[in-house]
Amino acid sequence: MTEKLSQSRSERDYIPGLGRQFLTPLYDVAHRVFGLHSVHNKMIELAELRGGHRVLDVGCGTGNLLRATGRRHRSVDLVGLDPDPKALIRAERKARRAGLTIRLDRGFAQELPYEDGSFDRVFSSLMLHHLDSTSKDALLAEVRRVLRSDGQLVLADAVLDEQGHHHGHRQGGMRGRMREQLQDNVGDAVAQRIADAGFTVEPTRPVALRIGGSIGIVSARLDGNS
């Protein structure tokens, strides 16, 4: 695991995967219970990966999407970024057990510590609603920067109906800040935000969870490369 943060940036606040730090050991249990593997499988399918592609998972958590990608595509270069050191430790252990080589960096989505045009694909799975509106726009600007000209973003996140409800994502147990940030996900708002950031966006694809509700997956390319 690679440390990429200065002291000041390492102190920046962030919301862990399940909303609270003490719940991190339960993240993989929740992943199995809700059936999030189906979301990851669809994301990998949409990415149309080829040998030699370099793939970044922003907000990789405990590394489930990276591990699933590596198992299906052994010849791609995998990189994961997350601010939670405990999640990264778990991701590193799981990658080692799976016999995969994955670079794991600690850092923030708003300031990706990578060179311009250095990735063919960028994944983001159930992380966008962890950010406030300003940070969401900063993330998308950073994704544009690190993608190659023919690159692709595949992003999955909760989608709320017009009343702001999403029955597959229990909001009652969330920290208030995350509940507020989910309001940016009503209807087609996520896809529209990505389009406004300079991407050509395909129609959102819903994937049903095992326990109620669905997740929306957006595939997007840089304008002029759709």
Side-chain angles (χ1 to χ4, degrees), residues 10 12-16 21 82-85 106 108 175 177:
S10 68
R12 177 184 290 164
D13 189 23
Y14 63 91
I15 302 176
Q21 192 69 251
D82 201 275
D84 186 346
R106 186 174 180 230
F108 294 92
R175 291 169 58 179
R177 181 155 60 100

Side-chain angles (χ1 to χ4, degrees), residues 1 24 28 60-67 80-82 84-98 100 102-105:
M1 185 174 69
T24 297
D28 291 328
C60 65
T62 64
N64 290 315
L65 177 54
L66 289 167
R67 185 174 59 170
L81 180 88
D82 201 275
D84 186 346
K86 293 182 179 179
L88 289 172
I89 290 171
R90 290 176 176 273
E92 185 175 36
R93 182 166 59 243
K94 287 156 62 177
R96 185 169 60 250
R97 288 173 178 171
L100 298 172
I102 299 175
R103 172 178 169 176
L104 295 167
D105 297 326

Side-chain angles (χ1 to χ4, degrees), residues 42-224:
K42 187 63 177 178
M43 293 177 71
I44 296 167
E45 175 188 328
L46 291 172
E48 299 179 335
L49 295 170
R50 300 192 303 273
H53 272 172
R54 191 166 189 238
V55 179
L56 170 65
D57 184 8
V58 181
C60 65
T62 64
N64 290 315
L65 177 54
L66 289 167
R67 185 174 59 170
T69 303
R71 283 174 168 170
R72 290 177 59 173
H73 298 277
R74 290 280 176 173
S75 59
V76 301
D77 183 10
L78 298 173
V79 180
L81 180 88
D82 201 275
D84 186 346
K86 293 182 179 179
L88 289 172
I89 290 171
R90 290 176 176 273
E92 185 175 36
R93 182 166 59 243
K94 287 156 62 177
R96 185 169 60 250
R97 288 173 178 171
L100 298 172
T101 299
I102 299 175
R103 172 178 169 176
L104 295 167
D105 297 326
R106 186 174 180 230
F108 294 92
Q110 305 94 312
E111 299 177 47
L112 299 178
Y114 308 109
E115 296 181 359
D116 296 358
S118 54
F119 291 95
D120 299 284
R121 301 288 186 267
V122 174
F123 286 138
S124 172
S125 175
L126 297 176
M127 188 276 293
L128 193 68
H129 66 272
H130 287 232
L131 305 176
D132 60 31
S133 293
T134 300
S135 296
K136 289 171 183 172
D137 292 336
L139 159 65
L140 293 172
E142 282 289 88
V143 170
R144 276 186 57 85
R145 181 182 65 78
V146 302
L147 272 176
R148 291 172 179 146
S149 60
D150 59 348
Q152 179 184 4
L153 166 66
V154 182
L155 183 148
D157 209 40
V159 177
L160 278 63
D161 62 27
E162 296 303 326
Q163 287 72 46
H165 299 142
H166 182 270
H167 301 295
H169 203 124
R170 295 182 59 189
Q171 299 183 49
M174 292 184 180
R175 291 169 58 179
R177 181 155 60 100
M178 193 186 296
R179 286 198 301 270
E180 180 180 344
Q181 289 162 190
L182 263 172
Q183 300 311 305
D184 284 342
N185 288 29
V186 173
D188 292 329
V190 171
Q192 185 59 56
R193 182 184 293 273
I194 295 172
D196 290 345
F199 291 83
T200 298
V201 179
E202 297 181 6
T204 301
R205 294 169 170 85
V207 175
L209 297 176
R210 180 179 295 155
I211 300 180
S214 64
I215 298 299
I217 302 178
V218 180
S219 175
R221 294 183 181 272
L222 301 182
D223 276 349

Side-chain angles (χ1 to χ4, degrees), residues 4-51:
K4 304 295 282 190
L5 299 179
S6 66
Q7 183 175 359
S8 61
R9 289 175 60 199
S10 68
E11 296 170 354
R12 177 184 290 164
D13 189 23
Y14 63 91
I15 302 176
L18 290 180
R20 292 176 171 84
Q21 192 69 251
F22 73 89
L23 294 175
T24 297
L26 299 177
Y27 186 87
D28 291 328
V29 175
H31 182 276
R32 291 192 296 271
V33 169
F34 282 89
L36 290 171
H37 64 279
S38 60
V39 175
H40 289 172
N41 288 340
K42 187 63 177 178
M43 293 177 71
I44 296 167
E45 175 188 328
L46 291 172
E48 299 179 335
L49 295 170
R50 300 192 303 273

